[in-house]
Amino acid sequence: MFKEIYKDDTTLKTLLDGKWIESSTGNLIEIVSPLDNKVVGKVQAMSKEEVDDSIKNARKAQKLWRNVPLNKRARILYRAADLIEERVDDFVEIMLREVGKDRKSSESEALRTADYIRFTADAAKAMEGESIPSDTFPGFKRNKVSIVTREPLGVVLAISPFNYPVNLSASKIAPALIAGNSVILKPATQGSISALYLARIFQEAGLPAGVLNTVTGRGSEIGDYCVTHKLIDFINFTGSTEIGKRISSISSMKPLLMELGGKDAAIVLPSADLNVAAKNIVSGAYSYSGQRCTAVKRILVEDSIADTLIEKIKAGIEKLKVGNPLDGDVDVVPLIDSKSADFVEELMKEAEEKGATKVIGGSREGNLIYPTLYDNVSLDMRLAWEEPFGPVLPVIRVKDKDEAIEIANKSEYGLQASVFTQNINDAFYIADKLEVGTVQVNNKPERGPDHFPFLGVKSSGIGTQGIKYSIEAMSRPKAIVLNIIE
Ligand SMILES: O=C[C@H](O)COP(=O)(O)O
């Protein structure tokens, strides 16, 4: 483990202007593991004044960073990617304890992050500007040319969530940096240790002082201050729709890139390969206990095949390993905190009271909710519309594809959806009508591969992520028009 970021065995510092420092407030926030309720670390509760210093410092550093040649910026990113691979075991240990992610998923998150960072450097090097002649527009001669390049935006505020504390920090930091921005990283409190460790990696990789500063503290104390700070030029946020809406309402005139909640539907037609559908639905709904914005969060299935599909899904659920990842390999882990588990329980209870049929699961031990499947979920139940962010999946039976489309589109969310069918006409018919960012045909919803565009519509987000798209979002065109004097 990097000792530089620690004050003592459990207390972490924060990164400001290339130095790891403690907050002058003396206040710390305890991070409690969802696995055993033990304190895994304490992070600095920074004051508004300290946040202000951090942002001002990042602004100063950005002026220099902008002028560092892109190939040199890329070299730092390549080094950071290598270091993540070298330190993968550290990341696994930290994520396991801090956010309760099982070892296999933690490892794949760290390795995916290294690939993401490398690909970002490659993509930026391959991006070219353009020169646009004037005489293609009516009334203009060949005496002008617009030379278009890309400029950084300035200081990017990256706010990352607990569920991918490394990957969803890096997928904001790397595109921002390669585009020439400096970054203020404000991780979710639960996830801060992983994010601070990542910041140390970038520092070790040779990032100049101030180009990446970290801000830790309670969202309720410094959250609004960060997002409304006049020196923040761009906000890249992943988290709940509720917080996303708040950021968007108070951060007037700041460009935003947001990945928010989802209620991704898996639509299953009689023409589907039901084994493929069931396998994808099980891994899509229950991996990391459904704590993913792209988890399958409802099944819309035609009545004629519902019983068969449900049997297959049930069989898949029975094979899942459930428990504490400290004790071995598991698929379904305890939820991040008891408040989250309470919420999931509340949705289950309401569905049962209103007549949903429990197919499997339903029990809880502490924060661990067993993978649960409900059949006959009706549209008056909260489980049909709300996002549990837990391992609970409702089956809504429909009469045909049009009813499936109608219910899918009634959701306030529009992240992704899956269509399972072997009929290409039905696949395109449905995909064309779904109000979502991405439709997966015969696959579970998922963000990757990370160079694909990733976006949500309606309450699921603003803007488009994905490596090239994120670089474009965090830069702007700059046109220099050359006028030829004749
Ligand atoms: O939780 C939100 C993530 O962007 C989902 O990513 P994933 O589809 O790779 O799990």
Side-chain angles (χ1 to χ4, degrees):
M1 297 281 172
F2 289 119
K3 59 181 185 320
E4 297 80 0
I5 68 176
Y6 284 92
K7 179 191 171 204
D8 53 41
D9 282 355
T10 52
T11 311
L12 289 107
K13 301 180 190 172
T14 192
L15 180 61
L16 170 60
D17 197 21
K19 291 179 275 299
W20 289 89
I21 57 154
E22 291 166 62
S23 165
S24 60
T25 64
N27 295 333
L28 297 169
I29 302 171
E30 285 189 346
I31 314 270
V32 175
S33 174
L35 303 181
D36 53 13
N37 292 320
K38 289 198 179 130
V39 174
V40 275
K42 295 174 200 157
V43 296
Q44 306 294 320
M46 291 168 70
S47 65
K48 288 181 184 157
E49 292 69 31
E50 287 166 333
V51 172
D52 186 49
D53 286 349
S54 185
I55 297 173
K56 281 183 180 146
N57 176 264
R59 161 73 75 176
K60 215 168 99 203
Q62 194 268 330
K63 305 269 181 237
L64 302 174
W65 178 244
R66 173 198 180 275
N67 294 327
V68 172
L70 196 141
N71 69 78
K72 289 202 172 143
R73 297 203 289 258
R75 232 183 286 154
I76 294 171
L77 261 57
Y78 291 132
R79 176 87 186 114
D82 292 346
L83 284 170
I84 290 172
E85 282 172 352
E86 282 169 29
R87 301 270 181 166
V88 69
D89 293 343
D90 292 355
F91 278 111
V92 170
E93 284 311 311
I94 295 172
M95 281 191 272
L96 175 76
R97 284 171 192 281
E98 186 178 28
V99 298
K101 191 169 271 200
D102 61 275
R103 284 182 192 280
K104 217 165 99 213
S105 307
S106 296
E107 182 178 313
S108 91
E109 176 170 346
L111 296 177
R112 174 183 182 181
T113 302
D115 288 338
Y116 188 107
I117 294 172
R118 252 184 227 117
F119 201 107
T120 301
D122 290 342
K125 287 197 292 186
M127 282 166 85
E128 288 172 346
E130 56 183 347
S131 78
I132 310 173
S134 51
D135 63 333
T136 46
F137 199 87
F140 284 84
K141 296 186 292 178
R142 283 174 61 83
N143 63 338
K144 278 176 194 289
V145 60
S146 179
I147 302 160
V148 187
T149 54
R150 292 200 81 84
E151 279 283 310
L153 299 178
V155 183
V156 167
L157 173 62
I159 310 177
S160 52
F162 81 84
N163 65 341
Y164 281 94
V166 175
N167 187 269
L168 286 175
S169 296
S171 62
K172 297 170 177 56
I173 296 170
L177 292 180
I178 202 74
N181 302 285
S182 59
V183 176
I184 297 290
L185 174 62
K186 160 79 183 78
T189 300
Q190 196 94 28
S192 297
I193 304 175
S194 311
L196 291 170
Y197 200 81
L198 178 73
R200 171 65 194 167
I201 292 270
F202 277 104
Q203 185 190 29
E204 179 127 326
L207 201 63
V211 176
L212 172 64
N213 289 337
T214 56
V215 162
T216 53
R218 295 255 172 244
S220 53
E221 279 159 32
I222 55 167
D224 286 2
Y225 184 74
C226 289
V227 299
T228 53
H229 196 288
K230 63 179 188 311
L231 296 182
I232 292 293
D233 299 296
F234 186 87
I235 302 171
N236 190 174
F237 169 76
T238 302
S240 71
T241 294
E242 188 193 344
I243 307 277
K245 282 185 175 164
R246 170 152 188 88
I247 292 175
S248 141
S249 70
I250 63 175
S251 64
S252 62
M253 292 292 284
K254 291 193 199 302
L256 304 170
L257 182 55
M258 293 197 177
E259 177 196 347
L260 308 172
K263 188 73 181 170
D264 293 3
I267 298 176
V268 189
L269 303 187
S271 55
D273 178 329
L274 293 185
N275 292 324
V276 170
K279 190 165 166 270
N280 274 281
I281 286 170
V282 171
S283 75
Y286 300 106
S287 60
Y288 193 38
S289 303
Q291 298 177 110
R292 296 167 46 244
C293 57
T294 49
V296 175
K297 291 183 182 132
R298 49 192 171 142
I299 298 172
L300 300 170
V301 57
E302 283 196 31
D303 215 2
S304 60
I305 48 152
D307 289 343
T308 317
L309 179 73
I310 287 167
E311 268 317 303
K312 288 178 188 292
I313 294 173
K314 182 169 175 253
I317 293 173
E318 280 164 346
K319 289 196 195 111
L320 293 173
K321 288 187 224 137
V322 183
N324 190 324
L326 289 172
D327 302 333
D329 266 357
V330 285
D331 306 296
V332 177
V333 297
L335 297 186
I336 193 72
D337 53 31
S338 57
K339 201 169 141 223
S340 308
D342 291 347
F343 176 68
V344 174
E345 213 176 20
E346 194 180 303
L347 293 182
M348 296 199 297
K349 204 161 156 260
E350 198 246 14
E352 282 179 37
E353 279 165 9
K354 287 192 168 156
T357 317
K358 186 161 61 192
V359 177
I360 187 169
S363 53
R364 171 178 177 181
E365 287 163 17
N367 298 344
L368 182 69
I369 305 248
Y370 277 71
T372 305
L373 182 70
Y374 284 106
D375 188 9
N376 299 310
V377 170
S378 52
L379 302 185
D380 60 335
M381 298 175 191
R382 289 172 60 196
L383 193 55
W385 305 109
E386 294 184 34
E387 180 184 31
F389 230 63
V392 178
L393 185 59
V395 177
I396 301 168
R397 293 176 178 237
V398 294
K399 64 175 187 305
D400 57 23
K401 58 179 184 267
D402 288 308
E403 192 185 8
I405 295 166
E406 192 192 327
I407 296 172
N409 285 344
K410 264 197 189 140
S411 170
E412 69 161 303
Y413 299 108
L415 190 57
Q416 294 203 355
S418 295
V419 182
F420 291 96
T421 175
Q422 295 188 86
N423 179 324
I424 188 126
N425 296 316
D426 280 345
F428 272 83
Y429 176 85
I430 295 173
D432 179 56
K433 291 183 170 46
L434 290 174
E435 294 161 5
V436 294
T438 302
V439 179
Q440 302 270 356
V441 178
N442 294 320
N443 186 37
K444 59 187 178 296
E446 59 187 2
R447 175 165 46 115
D450 291 328
H451 63 310
F452 284 7
F454 180 54
L455 65 155
V457 300
K458 301 196 276 188
S459 290
S460 287
I462 299 177
T464 305
Q465 299 183 93
I467 290 174
K468 181 187 74 168
Y469 306 94
S470 292
I471 299 171
E472 282 173 356
M474 290 189 259
S475 59
R476 60 182 162 81
K478 168 82 171 279
I480 300 176
V481 181
L482 179 66
N483 290 276
I484 297 153
I485 302 169
E486 288 167 346

